[in-house]
Amino acid sequence: MEKGILLIMDGLGDLNNKKGKTPLSASKKKNLDRMAGEGILGMLSPIGRGNIPGSDTSHLTLLGYPYWEYYCGRGPLEALGSGIKLREGDVAFRANFATVEKGKIMDRRAGRIPTSLGRKLEKKIKKIKVNGAEVLFRSTVEHRGVLILRGKGLGACVSGTDPHAHVQVPKSRALEKGSEKTARILNEFTKKAMAALCRAEENKGRKLPANAVLCRGAGAYRKIEPFAKRHGFNGACIAGGALYKGVAEYIGMDVLHVEGATGTSKTDLKSKARHAVAALRNHDFVFVHIKATDNCSHDKDAKCKQKIIERVDRELVPALKKTGANIIVSGDHTTASCTGKHTGHEVPLLCWGPGFRKDSVKKFDEFYCMEGGLGHIDGWDLFPVMANAMGKGKKVGT
Amino acid sequence: MEKGILLIMDGLGDLNNKKGKTPLSASKKKNLDRMAGEGILGMLSPIGRGNIPGSDTSHLTLLGYPYWEYYCGRGPLEALGSGIKLREGDVAFRANFATVEKGKIMDRRAGRIPTSLGRKLEKKIKKIKVNGAEVLFRSTVEHRGVLILRGKGLGACVSGTDPHAHVQVPKSRALEKGSEKTARILNEFTKKAMAALCRAEENKGRKLPANAVLCRGAGAYRKIEPFAKRHGFNGACIAGGALYKGVAEYIGMDVLHVEGATGTSKTDLKSKARHAVAALRNHDFVFVHIKATDNCSHDKDAKCKQKIIERVDRELVPALKKTGANIIVSGDHTTASCTGKHTGHEVPLLCWGPGFRKDSVKKFDEFYCMEGGLGHIDGWDLFPVMANAMGKGKKVGT
């Protein structure tokens, strides 16, 4: 039976610049273009035509768990990705260390504090007690962290405290009945976290002290049917970013530890390649995630995105190709480098390997893919297409 | 009003061989290619992208009865196709005469016994009585037959007794509550059939005696909205294979008797053509089924498949074309001649006639169809496309 690799370059799709070029179309990528010539192309709408995907909803869907049924909010996915074992009913939030002055948000990333500072501040936060639930907190990368509330009667339909704006820190509110307790506890936590952090030694002398924790992406964790049972074959995840590892953990893939995989533009692509090739020995399916493409787009740096694509083409793609596995290369959404935002434009899609047909298109980018033999495909149809190429699809009827 | 013909070559789609050819792309088929030049092409996913169709689920869907709502298991369809009138609640199985030695399955087709032997053995089986239900049995073609259990409280969620392997004949088990009685009766029948067949004169001297009946594809029959009522026009079916006649019977099409239509590579295509043309006189829609293409693929004989396609092009297509009706030519799934198995790859689709637009593509095969003007279409969308071409679609709203 054939193996499969899904290589997702986060936010791969882009809009053309004034010269009509996108980072992908401008890049020198002879390996990907050769695969395009040998494979079949198409355009992918990860969560349906025109809809703007989040990375979380998109990845769930692309991995065979349609978002409308399986998405549980960003919080639990970030928490799982940072290595926290969640229990059924835990309510988790994505958290940011932020700078607040007289109650007003000055910088919602506290000047992107270093990870080491986050680790130190985590210790202060962990001492916080609230009424009616257990508080778990973990700092992850730079200003990022996760907050988990564990206890009885915690709903997850609450507003967050991170409005992405220079305003007073808002109070969390219950958005549905049954979530009042969660909102109350989050507000209590926010207050106590500010009190603890403003006393922290580590913030002394910082122009942008990390003196608050802002939370968003509330979600309640629940166990779902694991990957191998659902699909009939096992899968491994190779990613640096916590969210992607979290998605994989949530759906029961094996999340591998990959040294040098950082989820940044400094990620060690050759290490990722080695781990992906090794993972294929005892896994049928390997998901490889590259975050840096999206980071560049969010920074409105199309040139940087192009360079990452070129590095992926040089340092990662050849090793994957050599395995002879069926390979799908795409993105989880388009991120427009001109605005730095996710959009609902289709994402170029490349399928290569023994289980795929071949079309006549020779290059891999937003324009060539429009003419690809796979046509226009929705995200929830991609996994069946991969499973079929692997000879592991499920027959319906006789 | 315009008429319509749906010509399905079973398992028409294929994967390319080392020379990049499929049976369809390698075949000489000037009539189909001329229709391609005059019509519009596309790629069909009978039960959705990447999903692997059975012939039953696919045909139901292509004829306007989406499988997820209307599929009742293979048994009832085979039974209906063999001419048995089913009653609401009957539980039917596809059955095989098989060779069993000391309880172990030696050949699940008893060396593909001739149809005449099956007819003789049928008489022995018909005498079997079981507790709590009526047993009906009919042998059909070669080793094939159908078993019907008729009575009260029979669920259809039972495992079969034909594991497709050289193992002990397994006991049927209830897979859901309410099907226990069916499993018990099937096991009683299986035992009594073995007893009756091992005494049969007809098996004497046979190296592979047909001394057991193995059952699979359990399904409960229910009446559904008939074709003419559902679609607003009537339809006729021209097929040799029992399963396809069964699908047509189930959905209330007129199943025509066509001499020489055998469901094999020796089928009389000219007879099918004559009957199809005649059927158009008093039917708006005619479904013509060719089984032999799939048989060749299952036998991993791409050359044979190519020859069948060429015969269809010569002996059947011109007569259909001459009617001036709207014609759709496609398959119910891809069957890979290299593996002999159904796959979830798309199937080439050709639409020709006064009700269809025209695209710029000139030939009919897996590669040209990728570039067709109809794009990529799911099976459940095909019937509305046909009805619309016929000027008989349903308007939604005003």
Side-chain angles (χ1 to χ4, degrees), chain A residues 342-398:
Chain A
H342 292 198
T343 78
H345 295 85
E346 292 171 290
V347 187
L349 168 69
L350 159 57
C351 299
W352 177 93
F356 293 107
R357 288 199 175 120
K358 188 178 170 330
D359 65 14
S360 59
V361 183
K362 302 285 181 218
K363 283 193 172 181
F364 178 51
D365 66 30
E366 289 83 349
F367 312 107
Y368 281 95
C369 284
M370 286 180 195
E371 293 171 16
L374 281 172
H376 303 259
I377 186 165
D378 288 317
W380 47 89
D381 286 331
L382 192 69
F383 204 87
V385 164
M386 175 56 114
N388 174 59
M390 292 166 67
K392 287 173 184 158
K394 284 175 194 156
K395 191 170 165 186
V396 183
T398 49

Side-chain angles (χ1 to χ4, degrees), chain B residues 219-240:
Chain B
Y221 173 73
R222 64 183 171 100
K223 279 206 173 75
I224 60 172
E225 189 184 31
F227 188 94
K229 190 168 175 215
R230 182 171 173 83
H231 295 313
F233 52 88
N234 67 354
C237 162
I238 291 179

Side-chain angles (χ1 to χ4, degrees), chain A residues 27-334:
Chain A
S27 66
K28 280 176 196 141
K29 47 173 179 21
K30 65 172 183 184
N31 295 302
L32 286 167
D33 283 340
R34 197 172 301 151
M35 284 169 76
E38 295 164 359
I40 186 164
L41 303 173
M43 284 299 242
L44 178 70
S45 293
I47 62 161
R49 282 294 187 102
N51 294 324
I52 305 172
S55 284
D56 39 17
T57 51
S58 177
H59 274 90
L60 276 172
T61 307
L62 298 181
L63 290 165
Y65 290 79
Y67 74 94
W68 59 81
E69 196 172 337
Y70 291 100
Y71 185 50
C72 62
R74 179 170 188 166
L77 300 174
E78 291 262 1
L80 289 166
S82 71
I84 296 173
K85 297 281 170 216
L86 292 180
R87 296 187 196 160
E88 193 92 15
D90 281 357
V91 173
F93 300 83
R94 162 68 199 271
N96 265 22
F97 284 108
T99 305
V100 168
E101 215 178 282
K102 291 179 190 163
K104 194 178 168 190
I105 300 163
M106 305 308 289
D107 186 327
R108 56 181 288 280
R109 298 189 183 97
R112 289 189 186 268
I113 59 167
T115 303
S116 55
L117 176 55
R119 288 275 186 284
K120 284 176 196 160
L121 296 174
E122 176 187 286
K123 286 175 197 161
K124 317 272 175 199
I125 305 290
K126 276 185 164 173
K127 287 180 189 160
I128 294 171
K129 306 274 176 219
V130 294
N131 277 319
E134 195 182 339
V135 168
L136 293 90
F137 182 86
R138 182 167 299 182
S139 84
T140 55
V141 178
E142 295 175 341
H143 56 282
R144 301 175 188 92
V146 287
L147 170 71
I148 293 110
L149 303 180
R150 179 170 290 167
K152 281 187 183 158
L154 294 173
C157 287
V158 296
S159 64
T161 56
D162 182 359
H164 285 58
H166 293 285
V167 294
Q168 293 287 313
V169 178
K171 292 235 177 227
S172 173
R173 287 172 301 106
L175 302 174
E176 274 186 21
K177 269 205 167 180
S179 291
E180 296 85 353
K181 184 178 167 185
T182 307
R184 176 186 61 71
I185 291 177
L186 178 58
N187 290 329
E188 185 183 339
F189 166 81
T190 305
K191 209 169 152 185
K192 288 182 173 173
M194 279 202 250
L197 291 171
C198 78
R199 287 191 304 266
E201 283 265 325
E202 291 81 356
N203 271 322
K204 276 189 184 152
R206 281 188 62 82
K207 203 176 157 192
L208 292 169
N211 59 10
V213 174
L214 305 182
C215 292
R216 60 195 158 110
Y221 173 72
R222 65 183 171 100
K223 279 207 174 73
I224 61 172
E225 189 183 31
F227 188 94
K229 193 170 173 212
R230 181 171 173 84
H231 296 313
F233 52 87
N234 66 355
C237 163
I238 290 179
L243 179 62
Y244 312 94
K245 292 197 267 193
V247 168
E249 186 73 37
Y250 175 54
I251 66 177
M253 296 177 85
D254 294 329
V255 180
L256 305 185
H257 175 73
V258 180
E259 61 271 26
T262 58
T264 71
S265 59
K266 285 175 189 137
T267 192
D268 184 345
L269 291 174
K270 287 184 179 166
S271 171
K272 278 186 163 174
R274 276 195 308 278
H275 280 83
V277 173
L280 276 183
R281 272 182 231 133
N282 52 358
H283 293 89
D284 296 307
F285 175 80
V286 175
F287 157 54
V288 183
H289 183 262
I290 308 294
K291 178 66 182 161
T293 32
D294 192 47
N295 296 344
C296 300
S297 305
H298 283 304
D299 293 342
K300 303 186 190 178
D301 189 345
K303 203 74 198 170
C304 155
K305 188 172 179 177
Q306 178 184 336
K307 278 184 187 160
I308 300 289
I309 294 167
E310 290 174 350
R311 264 189 67 206
V312 168
D313 185 72
R314 271 195 323 270
E315 298 175 18
L316 180 60
V317 169
L320 301 187
K321 200 177 164 193
K322 216 180 273 177
T323 65
N326 295 290
I327 301 176
I328 294 182
V329 185
S330 192
D332 57 341
H333 48 76
T334 288

Side-chain angles (χ1 to χ4, degrees), chain B residues 50-93:
Chain B
N51 294 324
I52 305 173
S55 284
D56 41 16
T57 51
S58 177
H59 274 90
L60 277 171
T61 307
L62 298 180
L63 290 164
Y65 291 79
Y67 74 95
W68 60 82
E69 196 172 337
Y70 291 100
Y71 185 51
C72 61
R74 177 170 189 164
L77 300 175
E78 291 261 1
L80 291 166
S82 72
I84 296 174
K85 297 282 170 215
L86 292 180
R87 295 188 197 159
E88 194 92 13
D90 282 358
V91 173
F93 300 83

Side-chain angles (χ1 to χ4, degrees), chain B residues 135-204:
Chain B
V135 168
L136 294 90
F137 182 85
R138 182 166 300 181
S139 83
T140 55
V141 178
E142 296 176 339
H143 56 282
R144 301 175 189 91
V146 287
L147 171 72
I148 294 108
L149 303 180
R150 179 170 291 167
K152 281 187 183 158
L154 294 173
C157 287
V158 296
S159 64
T161 56
D162 182 359
H164 285 58
H166 292 284
V167 294
Q168 293 286 314
V169 178
K171 293 237 176 222
S172 173
R173 288 173 300 107
L175 301 174
E176 275 186 21
K177 271 205 165 182
S179 292
E180 295 85 355
K181 184 179 168 186
T182 308
R184 178 186 61 70
I185 290 177
L186 178 58
N187 290 329
E188 186 184 338
F189 166 82
T190 306
K191 208 167 152 186
K192 287 181 173 171
M194 279 201 250
L197 291 171
C198 79
R199 287 191 305 265
E201 282 264 325
E202 291 81 357
N203 270 323
K204 276 188 185 154

